[in-house]
Amino acid sequence: MMSRQEQFIDEDDGFEIESPFDSTTTTTKRPDLSGSIGGRIGNSGGGDGGSSSVGPQTAYTSNALPGGYHTNTLDEPILTTIGRDFGKVGRKTVQVLYPKGRDNALQEWDLWGPLFFCLSLAIIMSFLAPDQQASAVFTGVFALVCIGSCVVTLNCKLLGGHVSFFQSVCTLGYCISPMAIASLVTLLAHRIIVTLPVVAVAVGWSISAAVGFLAGAQLANRRLLAVYPICLFYICIGWIIIIS
C-alpha cells in the first residue's frame, strides 16, 4: 500500500520539479522591445526594402549642417573665423554705403558690425566732448544707440512687421555707419560750415538705408508709423554730432 507522500508525488504523474540552480533550465526569450526606435535611427522602412534614413552621425557630417549652415567652424583656425566675420561685416557695410545693387546680405544678421559702429561713434563723440564730460558722452551715446535701436525694433514688431528682432537691430546698427563717418569728419574739421552739410547728408543716408532694408517688413498701411521713429532716431544722433 502506497504511503500518502507517494500518492501525491508520483513519477508517472507528469510533474517535473526543476531546481532554480540548475543551469540546464530553459528560459523564455523576451520579445524585442525596441519598437520603432531602431527604425528611426537605422532603417526607416523596416526590413522589407524601405529606404534608409540618415542617422545622427551622418546628419552632422554631411554638407547640410543643422541650422542651415554649410560650413563647420568648430575645427578651423581662429584667424580663418575672424577673417570670414570681418569679410561679412565689410560686405554688409558696403550694402549700406552703396545703395545700388543690394542683395539680402542683411538677412543673415550679426551683432559684430553694429557693435563696432556703435563703439566707434561713442569713442569719437567722447573725443569731441570736453575732458570732464568724455565718459558721460561715451555712455550716453552708447546707451542712446542701443536703447533707441531696440525701441524702434519693438515699435516695428508691435505694428505687425514681419521681421525678427535681431535682424532689425542688425540693420539699424549697420545704418549708423554714415553717422560714424560724419562724426569722424567733424572730429577732423571742427567747423560748422563743414559739419552741418556732412551730418545732414549722413542723416539722410542712414534713414534712406534703414527704410529701404526694412521695406520687406510688410507693414501695409502702418508704414508711416514705423518710419517716423527711424527718422527721429537718426536725427537725434545727428543733432548730438552737430552740437558737439
Side-chain angles (χ1 to χ4, degrees):
M1 184 176 181
M2 288 186 181
S3 63
R4 184 176 299 273
Q5 183 177 2
E6 292 176 351
Q7 184 178 359
F8 285 98
I9 303 175
D10 193 0
E11 294 179 357
D12 297 334
D13 291 339
F15 292 96
E16 182 178 358
I17 302 175
E18 296 180 355
S19 174
F21 301 100
D22 188 3
S23 59
T24 61
T25 304
T26 58
T27 57
T28 305
K29 183 179 179 182
R30 292 173 176 263
D32 187 9
L33 299 179
S34 59
S36 60
I37 297 177
R40 288 197 294 267
I41 297 178
N43 297 328
S44 60
D48 51 354
S51 60
S52 61
S53 62
V54 179
Q57 184 69 20
T58 307
Y60 283 93
T61 56
S62 61
N63 293 328
L65 297 175
Y69 295 97
H70 299 281
T71 304
N72 189 356
T73 61
L74 294 178
D75 299 327
E76 68 178 5
I78 185 64
L79 293 179
T80 304
T81 304
I82 294 176
R84 185 180 61 253
D85 291 340
F86 271 108
K88 291 181 179 180
V89 170
R91 288 192 297 270
K92 294 174 184 178
T93 304
V94 171
Q95 289 270 307
V96 174
L97 298 178
Y98 187 70
K100 294 183 179 181
R102 288 178 178 170
D103 54 20
N104 294 326
L106 289 181
Q107 296 294 330
E108 185 182 352
W109 60 267
D110 68 89
L111 299 180
W112 291 113
L115 179 61
F116 171 76
F117 291 116
C118 180
L119 287 175
S120 300
L121 180 62
I123 291 172
I124 295 174
M125 295 300 297
S126 64
F127 283 129
L128 291 173
D131 294 338
Q132 63 273 16
Q133 298 179 358
S135 60
V137 171
F138 176 87
T139 305
V141 173
F142 189 85
L144 174 64
V145 173
C146 295
I147 297 176
S149 58
C150 292
V151 170
V152 172
T153 300
L154 288 176
N155 177 71
C156 183
K157 294 287 289 182
L158 292 176
L159 291 175
H162 297 281
V163 61
S164 66
F165 180 85
F166 289 107
Q167 180 183 345
S168 178
V169 171
C170 171
T171 301
L172 295 173
Y174 273 102
C175 291
I176 295 177
S177 54
M179 311 297 297
I181 297 175
S183 63
L184 181 61
V185 173
T186 303
L187 179 63
L188 299 177
H190 282 295
R191 292 188 178 182
I192 190 64
I193 195 174
V194 178
T195 301
L196 190 59
V198 170
V199 173
V201 172
V203 169
W205 203 336
S206 297
I207 293 175
S208 175
V211 172
F213 282 117
L214 294 178
Q218 301 178 2
L219 294 172
N221 297 329
R222 301 177 179 179
R223 183 180 178 86
L224 183 61
L225 296 176
V227 172
Y228 171 73
I230 295 176
C231 297
L232 185 62
F233 174 60
Y234 291 110
I235 289 174
C236 289
I237 298 176
W239 177 249
I240 293 175
I241 297 175
I242 292 175
I243 63 176
S244 298

